[in-house]
Amino acid sequence: VLKTVNAWAKAWSGKDVATYLGFYASDFHTPRGTSRSAWEKSRHERLSKPKSIHVEITHPKVSFSDVRHAKVSFRQSYHSDAIRTATTKTLEMVKTGEKWLIKQEQVGR
């Protein structure tokens, strides 16, 4: 699970949109019920626009509800040439085949 979260942060930092989006489950709960295509378009723009992005994950805590479902809470530091933020984030993960994918994201929890 942590390997997946770190690879997701690395793809985000590398502005590798296709790889980044590949970490999200097909039934990912988009923020505010946005359509998947609108959400992907928004993420593509937000990853492509900055000259540089750096995402760092610290203090991760993983809990499993069963063998296919996990929650990962961590401190996320994000900085680009335009924005610098630090927040707590929780990812709800689901195991699909051999891969862990993000089913839901929550900021501040």
Side-chain angles (χ1 to χ4, degrees):
V1 175
L2 286 179
K3 194 189 283 190
T4 298
V5 172
N6 287 320
W8 165 78
K10 183 179 179 189
W12 189 358
S13 293
K15 300 173 51 162
D16 182 345
V17 178
T19 300
Y20 169 84
L21 292 175
F23 285 103
Y24 289 85
S26 59
D27 61 347
F28 171 68
H29 295 262
T30 58
R32 296 174 291 287
T34 309
S35 74
R36 175 70 182 236
S37 60
W39 175 80
E40 284 191 7
K41 183 176 185 241
S42 165
R43 297 309 299 159
H44 191 280
E45 290 168 3
R46 290 179 71 183
L47 267 75
S48 301
K49 197 173 186 179
K51 290 184 183 88
S52 65
I53 294 174
H54 179 74
V55 179
E56 185 178 4
I57 305 298
T58 55
H59 310 297
K61 291 183 181 74
V62 181
S63 61
F64 292 88
S65 54
D66 60 39
V67 295
R68 290 192 56 243
H69 297 90
K71 272 190 184 183
V72 186
S73 298
F74 52 87
R75 187 86 179 142
Q76 174 182 293
S77 298
Y78 170 96
H79 68 263
S80 69
D81 47 303
I83 299 170
R84 183 177 292 262
T85 64
T87 188
T88 303
K89 188 173 269 189
T90 300
L91 300 179
E92 291 186 27
M93 311 287 290
V94 61
K95 192 164 189 183
T96 307
E98 294 301 310
K99 293 170 69 174
W100 284 97
L101 298 173
I102 301 166
K103 186 168 176 98
Q104 188 167 8
E105 261 182 302
Q106 298 168 322
V107 177
R109 293 186 190 187

